[in-house]
Amino acid sequence: MEGDWETILSANIAGTYNAFEAARRNGVKRVLFASSNHAVGFYRRDQTIDHRVYPKPDSRYGVSKVFGEALGSLYADKYGLEVYIMRIGNAADRPADKRRLSIWLSSRDLAQLVAIGIDHPGIRFEIVYGISGNQRAWYDNANALRLGYKPQDDSEPWAAEMLAKHQDNADPRVELYQGGTFVAAEFGGDPSRPPPEPRRAKRKAARPAAKPRTKKKK
């Protein structure tokens, strides 16, 4: 979810670099990186995109996921690491709203995608979308299918319920772009979770003012 820059920088940028660098130093063969739909959230909902599109992040969080994908590409080309990128939509028991009908990912489909990332031979650098076989998908997931992905689930059984209770957001960008509330959010882009508290720099305690010296009488 979206957060203040210091939190994103520490966890998702420095932290991701540390993970890839530790893998390289310790001779790890393959890394599976959990990227996000928010790396491409500023594509319109009337567009169908695949794994080859130029990144269009919708948030600081999305920027951090683009960084992770680029870092994976670097480590694959420069150091020979095998890198498998999953742009995860919304992994949950069921889609929570209209938007997530297009990006929902069931648990067993997620497990299948992860298994492909672990077991498929010959991976150097691959990007797949972490979604089930949703009829309303915004993503052409042909690259995952090429690697053997056979999604078992579809969000459509929840479509009537989600559409019936949907209300357009007051900000038109939220309904226009694939990233939903993240395109407008500063903190707490996921409406199903409480927003994080911005990290504030610690202030040093002010020193008490020095008392003026008085000259002693001789």
Side-chain angles (χ1 to χ4, degrees):
M1 55 193 300
E2 183 63 310
D4 64 284
W5 179 243
E6 287 190 4
T7 300
I8 296 293
L9 178 64
S10 175
N12 280 16
I13 293 184
T16 299
Y17 170 77
N18 289 339
F20 271 96
E21 181 62 9
R24 180 187 73 83
R25 292 186 186 188
N26 288 278
V28 172
K29 180 181 179 181
R30 183 174 296 183
V31 170
L32 277 63
F33 178 66
S35 186
S36 171
N37 67 95
H38 296 293
V40 289
F42 257 118
Y43 280 96
R44 293 168 58 105
R45 297 188 183 189
D46 57 7
Q47 293 177 278
T48 300
I49 60 176
D50 65 11
H51 63 288
R52 297 169 293 186
V53 295
Y54 190 82
K56 289 176 71 72
D58 56 26
S59 51
R60 297 172 184 86
Y61 171 78
V63 167
S64 74
K65 292 302 184 179
V66 173
F67 171 81
E69 292 184 7
L71 196 66
S73 178
L74 172 68
Y75 274 69
D77 290 336
K78 193 165 188 173
Y79 303 116
L81 199 67
E82 298 176 357
V83 180
Y84 179 78
I85 306 286
M86 296 173 288
R87 286 181 180 159
I88 295 173
N90 176 236
D93 292 336
R94 52 179 287 168
D97 52 31
K98 175 185 174 182
R99 172 179 171 270
R100 295 179 216 203
L101 291 169
S102 300
I103 63 171
W104 178 64
L105 175 63
S106 69
S107 296
R108 63 178 175 177
D109 285 341
L110 172 59
Q112 184 189 163
L113 276 174
V114 170
I116 290 170
I118 294 171
D119 298 328
H120 196 284
I123 285 177
R124 174 45 55 88
F125 179 81
E126 299 288 352
I127 296 176
V128 300
Y129 283 95
I131 58 168
S132 289
N134 307 320
Q135 295 180 37
R136 300 170 185 268
W138 297 318
Y139 312 130
D140 175 354
N141 213 9
N143 201 41
L145 302 179
R146 180 183 66 83
L147 296 172
Y149 181 46
K150 297 178 180 179
Q152 302 298 302
D153 295 304
D154 184 343
S155 65
E156 204 59 24
W158 290 279
E161 177 188 352
M162 295 300 109
L163 294 174
K165 68 180 187 180
H166 174 74
Q167 293 184 344
D168 282 353
N169 193 284
D171 188 327
R173 296 175 299 171
V174 171
E175 305 299 329
L176 180 63
Y177 294 107
Q178 295 178 7
T181 55
F182 276 68
V183 306
E186 287 301 321
F187 303 112
D190 183 345
S192 70
R193 298 169 63 184
E197 290 291 332
R199 182 181 293 179
R200 293 179 174 87
K202 294 180 180 179
R203 293 183 178 179
K204 293 182 179 179
R207 293 182 178 179
K211 293 182 180 179
R213 292 182 177 180
T214 56
K215 292 183 178 181
K216 292 182 180 180
K217 293 182 178 179
K218 292 183 180 179

